[in-house]
Amino acid sequence: MISRWRLRQKSGLSTGAALLLGLWVSAAQAQTVYRVVDAQGNVTFTDNPERGGKAITLAPLQSVPTAARPASLSPRAKGNPGQPFMPYDRFAIANPAAGASLRNNMTPVEVAVSPPLRDDHQIQLLVNGELSQSALALHSDAFWLAGLPAGQHQLQAELLDSQGRIQHRTDPVTIFIAE
């Protein structure tokens, strides 16, 4: 094994860097380290007992185990903005209820937002995954959907920030429009 002195000479490392490197390598290999002082008073460290010197005891290096990445930091699926960002504790379609069967062609939709919607935020409605033309982004939590054909429909609301970026999407609510 190459001595710490030769390592320092070949790589041009400073005495402090050579010392740290030597201590780290020696501790990692669980070998004895020797402190050698030459005629000029220069101190070197080596693992070679033949060079003389005094054996020294090194304190073990402390290490911190790496933690697994929390699931909350995992990237979100594309198109799913995830949980509401602050300051909203609740963002969900409150009316109509999931599974509601409606008989008219004017469908009121109410979005529960708590605390109240900020002045610079808007809500837009999706019907069957498409942006509803009768419920474009508004600073409102109430909408009217007109002219839905008979059958099953899925509603979702999206929360938009001041730049019009989607920050949250409600869980889908399925409703039925009777003929």
Side-chain angles (χ1 to χ4, degrees):
M1 172 168 234
I2 204 165
S3 75
R4 301 299 172 260
W5 176 251
R6 278 192 241 136
L7 178 64
R8 186 174 71 86
Q9 284 179 332
K10 287 183 181 181
S11 64
L13 295 174
S14 69
T15 302
L19 172 66
L20 290 175
L21 180 62
L23 294 175
W24 178 78
V25 169
S26 296
Q29 295 177 350
Q31 293 181 347
T32 304
V33 175
Y34 299 90
R35 182 176 186 260
V36 179
V37 181
D38 67 13
Q40 291 79 30
N42 295 319
V43 178
T44 57
F45 296 88
T46 182
D47 61 348
N48 185 352
E50 295 171 5
R51 296 200 53 217
K54 180 178 177 185
I56 61 172
T57 304
L58 301 175
L61 295 174
Q62 294 185 6
S63 64
V64 177
T66 58
R69 183 178 179 162
S72 62
L73 295 179
S74 299
R76 289 185 275 182
K78 194 170 189 173
N80 182 7
Q83 296 302 311
F85 67 100
M86 294 309 277
Y88 301 107
D89 297 324
R90 179 167 161 77
F91 183 72
I93 295 178
N95 189 32
S101 184
L102 307 169
R103 296 197 175 270
N104 58 30
N105 64 354
M106 290 296 287
T107 306
V109 178
E110 180 185 348
V111 179
V113 182
S114 175
L117 192 62
R118 286 178 22 178
D119 289 340
D120 60 339
H121 292 164
Q122 294 182 319
I123 298 174
Q124 65 187 15
L125 223 58
L126 300 177
V127 178
N128 301 323
E130 301 287 327
L131 188 60
S132 170
Q133 292 302 314
S134 61
L136 296 176
L138 299 172
H139 180 73
S140 176
D141 58 1
F143 299 88
W144 284 95
L145 293 178
L148 287 177
Q152 176 178 313
H153 299 280
Q154 189 178 68
L155 306 178
Q156 283 186 289
E158 293 179 330
L159 178 64
L160 306 179
D161 66 12
S162 58
Q163 279 82 43
R165 295 176 300 210
I166 299 169
Q167 294 296 321
H168 184 69
R169 185 176 295 141
T170 65
D171 289 333
V173 172
T174 301
I175 61 169
F176 301 92
I177 303 294
E179 292 184 41

